[in-house]
Amino acid sequence: MPPEKIEIFKSMEDWAKKNVLVHLKPVENCWQPQDFLPDAASDGFEEQVRELRERAREIPDDYFVALVGSMITEEALPTYQVMLNNLDGLRDETGSSLTPWAIWTRAWTAEENRHGDLLNKYLYLSGRVDMKRIEKTIQYLIGTGMDPRAENSPYLLFIYTSFQERATSISHGNTGRLAKAHGDTKLAQICGIIASDEKRHEAAYTKIMEKLFEIDPDGAVLALADMMRKRITMPAHLMYDGCDVNIFFHYSAVVQRLGIYTAKDYSDVLEFLVGRWKVEKMTGLSAEGRRAQDYVCRLIPKLRRLEERAGERAEEALTIPFSWISDRLVKL
Ligand SMILES: [Fe+2]
Ligand SMILES: [Fe+2]
């Protein structure tokens, strides 16, 4: 990133202290995975586990594929912290740096760390999944990393994280609603509490971008158009379970069919962000900036049309085995 852009983030430090760090929750006020899990130190542990497993028995396999996929995505957290620490002008230079950007990145990671932890323990106790093959998928995924194509630019990555936090909040929210529909209100609560964290993170990242749209409208709108041209890929897009080379594609198909995260959600997130940052109303842009603005605004109706056509095309779905649930068959 050019030095003058790095300077922008330096000049935003006081603002970030007051406006971004407020979206973190003090540890003492945070929920912990243990709040939602049977307590292994209590006498009622076995009984609580038995109840958890009885509830889980009523939930179909395809739901577990979706839940496992989102747990694996959360468990690849080391990759996401690396992404944030690669950002020019923002990286945590010492590992315990006191710039607001570094404080945010570490505390965000610490908050996110509870998500994978909680889902992992729940899935283990449920007895419905093949933990070893899930753990293998996590190891492969962290070893492979990700490529959001943000090129170390905070502009690009904050577009990406704004999009992703909202997308994960939607998908955890829908996963919770489905759990409730299957009669598991405790699991619904687990998904809901995670979704509410993602929402808070979305508020922080969209606020940073809002500020960039104000300070550097051309830079911000060019970044938005750039990321949308590349398409926002899910963070776990490089996942592999050791046997299915298309596991990510297959998992995404299940998630789409169950209505947990769909093509419509993708367009909805974009439409929301464009509204949130008032992209349509931006004035005083350079010619290049206007082209980017135009591209992003036209993209929304274009994506809507694609969605409709995809809906019409819906073919007879394949049924394939998923290693995560001991090779039981699930419709895509
Ligand atoms: Fe998360
Ligand atoms: Fe998140």
Side-chain angles (χ1 to χ4, degrees), residues 46-61:
E46 278 115 338
E47 177 64 17
Q48 289 164 36
V49 172
R50 205 175 48 74
E51 284 167 13
L52 184 153
R53 291 164 74 94
E54 270 165 22
R55 289 192 301 273
R57 213 168 290 147
E58 302 304 314
I59 302 175
D61 274 340

Side-chain angles (χ1 to χ4, degrees), residues 55-240:
R55 289 192 301 273
R57 213 168 290 147
E58 302 304 314
I59 302 175
D61 274 340
D62 52 8
Y63 180 92
F64 276 99
V65 168
L67 191 62
V68 167
S70 84
M71 179 267 257
I72 290 168
T73 307
E74 295 284 355
E75 289 285 54
L77 183 60
T79 302
Y80 316 139
Q81 188 176 24
V82 167
M83 292 308 314
L84 286 162
N85 265 342
N86 270 340
L87 294 178
D88 293 336
L90 268 74
R91 64 180 57 87
D92 184 347
E93 300 282 356
T94 63
S96 57
S97 153
L98 293 176
T99 69
W101 305 117
I103 290 172
W104 167 265
T105 297
R106 289 191 305 270
W108 171 85
T109 305
E111 286 194 2
E112 286 283 342
N113 189 51
R114 300 168 305 145
H115 301 173
D117 209 356
L118 174 53
L119 292 174
N120 193 320
K121 285 176 179 147
Y122 167 82
L123 283 163
Y124 166 68
L125 290 173
S126 78
R128 289 290 307 276
V129 298
D130 186 333
M131 280 311 288
K132 180 158 180 182
R133 291 164 92 183
I134 293 170
E135 287 159 348
K136 208 161 129 182
T137 313
I138 296 169
Q139 188 174 355
Y140 269 122
L141 182 57
I142 296 176
T144 308
M146 74 183 289
D147 181 15
R149 301 172 72 194
E151 296 147 33
N152 299 358
S153 155
Y155 284 72
L156 297 177
L157 198 77
F158 287 151
I159 299 274
Y160 182 84
T161 53
S162 298
F163 199 104
Q164 269 313 326
E165 294 286 3
R166 189 167 179 87
T168 47
S169 157
I170 291 171
S171 72
H172 286 303
N174 287 333
T175 310
R177 270 183 286 281
L178 261 183
K180 201 171 166 199
H182 291 304
D184 193 338
T185 50
K186 291 249 166 110
L187 178 55
Q189 208 187 359
I190 287 176
C191 301
I193 198 80
I194 296 175
S196 75
D197 271 5
E198 313 291 19
K199 200 97 201 93
R200 198 157 38 77
H201 297 160
E202 174 203 321
Y205 287 121
T206 53
K207 205 194 239 182
I208 298 171
M209 277 316 299
E210 181 185 38
K211 189 73 180 164
L212 286 172
F213 269 99
E214 181 193 310
I215 302 176
D216 178 11
D218 262 306
V221 77
L222 286 171
L224 177 59
D226 187 11
M227 282 315 283
M228 295 320 299
R229 278 201 184 93
K230 292 166 175 169
R231 264 192 85 80
I232 305 283
T233 47
M234 297 277 275
H237 66 124
L238 299 176
M239 72 164 64
Y240 177 57

Side-chain angles (χ1 to χ4, degrees), residues 11-71:
S11 74
M12 279 169 72
E13 286 191 0
D14 278 337
W15 174 87
K17 240 177 247 165
K18 289 187 205 97
N19 294 279
V20 179
L21 299 188
V22 292
H23 292 284
L24 293 167
K25 249 192 183 176
V27 176
E28 293 302 327
N29 302 345
C30 278
W31 60 267
Q32 297 299 337
Q34 186 55 65
D35 299 332
F36 299 92
L37 292 163
D39 180 3
S42 86
D43 288 338
F45 178 65
E46 278 115 338
E47 177 64 17
Q48 289 164 36
V49 172
R50 205 175 48 74
E51 284 167 13
L52 184 153
R53 291 164 74 94
E54 270 165 22
R55 289 192 301 273
R57 213 168 290 147
E58 302 304 314
I59 302 175
D61 274 340
D62 52 8
Y63 180 92
F64 276 99
V65 168
L67 191 62
V68 167
S70 84
M71 179 267 257

